Amino acid sequence: MEKLTLPINTEPEEIELDLISFKINPDIEVAEPIPILSITQDGYDIPILTEENLSLIFGPAKSRKSTLIKSICQAVFKGSNEKMKSNYWRNEIAVIDTEQDRYRCWRMTKTLKYLTGKNVNYYSMVGTKKELKRILVEKHLSEHPNCGLLILDNIVHFIRDFNSVEESADLTEWLLSIKATFNVHILMILHENASGGVIKPRGHLGTNLMNLCETIIKIQKDENDKSQSIISAFLTRGKDFNDFVITQDGQGTPYLSDLKIYNKKKY
């Protein structure tokens, strides 16, 4: 079955649609999504990021989300680290940073090059209008067909109001469109809401993304040891992975390790 993909920003009435292109035939096998990144656990690999899908990392401010991004890039570029594994051939990575200033973005790229020996396509888009951000993302993906992983840090800056039902729906529709058009995995970063005892990704946007993402990762500083953060499988479509911890040294190098039993706490 030939895959039909609408051009970005094209209204359905502008092209002729063939309904049969959307129909799933149970007699024609569909390949399982190709893993981009897996968690190594007990001698086997648990896929957490797969081709043409969405995923989300969320947590409070200063919980080491950027350190986790470094670890993910390290594993995808080099093939593995202490807890992660990747053998994905389309291993170009793009990071769209909408929060940090240019100096901190530069420091991030220097650390990533030190860790992997490769250059990440890292863009600082602080203050850029949301419409222009989308155009620039599409431009990068169209010019880099080997970009298999797109990281949007922070996805909330792609809309004006993260509690707007209309804006959140429009953004998620765009995300679904570009992941299919460019066959790319989109990993998003978002802060958390913590109200009424409920912890979840921020706003109505976070609620939308919870329904769409194949993997949602929670990161939070360890109450027993503030020098490290706990990484948890908040929601997954497949098998959950065990909690583990991340820390970094003075040079910004990330380290991953198992969570000690006496520290373990349900988040």
Side-chain angles (χ1 to χ4, degrees):
M1 180 177 67
E2 184 178 355
K3 184 176 179 180
L4 176 66
T5 303
L6 298 183
I8 301 292
N9 298 325
T10 299
E11 295 297 327
E13 60 268 19
E14 294 178 8
I15 63 174
E16 183 178 348
L17 296 178
D18 179 10
L19 184 61
I20 196 66
S21 300
F22 297 89
K23 188 174 180 179
I24 301 297
N25 186 339
D27 298 320
I28 300 177
E29 186 174 350
V30 176
E32 193 172 348
I34 299 171
I36 296 174
L37 185 71
S38 301
I39 298 293
T40 300
Q41 177 178 298
D42 300 328
Y44 55 88
D45 299 328
I46 302 173
I48 59 169
L49 311 184
T50 64
E51 200 172 61
E52 198 185 306
N53 259 307
L54 304 174
S55 60
L56 178 69
I57 297 170
F58 81 101
K62 313 305 180 187
S63 55
R64 299 188 177 88
K65 293 184 287 293
S66 293
T67 307
L68 181 54
I69 290 174
K70 292 177 195 174
S71 252
I72 289 171
C73 292
Q74 179 188 43
V76 172
F77 275 147
K78 300 204 75 173
S80 65
N81 58 27
E82 299 94 341
K83 295 292 295 182
M84 300 174 180
K85 182 178 179 181
S86 176
N87 58 4
Y88 189 57
W89 68 275
R90 292 175 63 233
N91 66 346
E92 285 188 21
I93 299 173
V95 180
I96 310 299
D97 194 313
T98 65
E99 289 193 323
Q100 298 188 103
D101 58 50
R102 291 184 69 85
Y103 173 74
R104 286 174 174 79
C105 289
W106 173 79
R107 286 284 302 270
M108 183 78 158
T109 60
K110 292 286 285 185
T111 301
L112 287 170
K113 186 170 185 178
Y114 168 75
L115 291 172
T116 67
K118 295 186 179 181
N119 288 322
V120 176
N121 291 303
Y122 204 105
Y123 299 93
S124 175
M125 295 191 187
V126 178
T128 306
K129 290 186 177 180
K130 67 182 185 69
E131 297 84 2
L132 183 56
K133 287 190 187 84
R134 297 190 191 188
I135 292 170
L136 292 171
V137 165
E138 293 173 23
K139 179 175 174 61
H140 174 84
L141 293 174
S142 66
E143 294 176 357
H144 295 81
N146 282 333
C147 181
L149 178 60
L150 171 67
I151 301 174
L152 304 180
D153 181 14
N154 183 316
I155 186 62
V156 75
H157 296 126
F158 278 76
I159 56 178
R160 292 188 181 91
D161 179 4
F162 57 82
N163 276 320
S164 165
V165 175
E166 293 78 12
E167 278 197 274
S168 297
D170 177 68
L171 178 60
T172 52
E173 185 176 318
W174 175 73
L175 291 166
L176 291 170
S177 178
I178 63 168
K179 80 176 179 66
T181 300
F182 298 106
N183 188 27
V184 64
H185 184 100
I186 305 173
L187 171 61
M188 294 160 286
I189 315 300
L190 187 62
H191 292 304
E192 72 174 26
N193 274 357
S195 59
V198 177
I199 295 176
K200 62 175 286 295
R202 192 177 190 185
H204 188 81
L205 174 61
T207 301
N208 269 17
L209 294 176
M210 284 175 65
N211 295 326
L212 291 176
C213 291
E214 68 167 345
T215 302
I216 301 177
I217 296 171
K218 172 79 171 73
I219 182 167
Q220 181 169 311
K221 282 189 176 179
D222 187 351
E223 292 181 357
N224 299 294
D225 183 354
K226 298 297 185 182
S227 70
Q228 64 184 23
S229 295
I230 299 174
I231 297 169
S232 307
F234 187 77
L235 288 174
T236 65
R237 287 182 188 160
K239 181 178 175 61
D240 287 350
F241 57 84
N242 296 334
D243 295 356
F244 59 94
V245 298
I246 188 167
T247 187
Q248 68 177 15
D249 62 19
Q251 302 303 314
T253 303
Y255 296 97
L256 303 173
S257 59
D258 293 332
L259 177 62
K260 294 180 181 178
I261 300 298
Y262 62 82
N263 278 345
K264 193 164 185 179
K265 179 178 179 180
K266 184 66 177 176
Y267 290 94

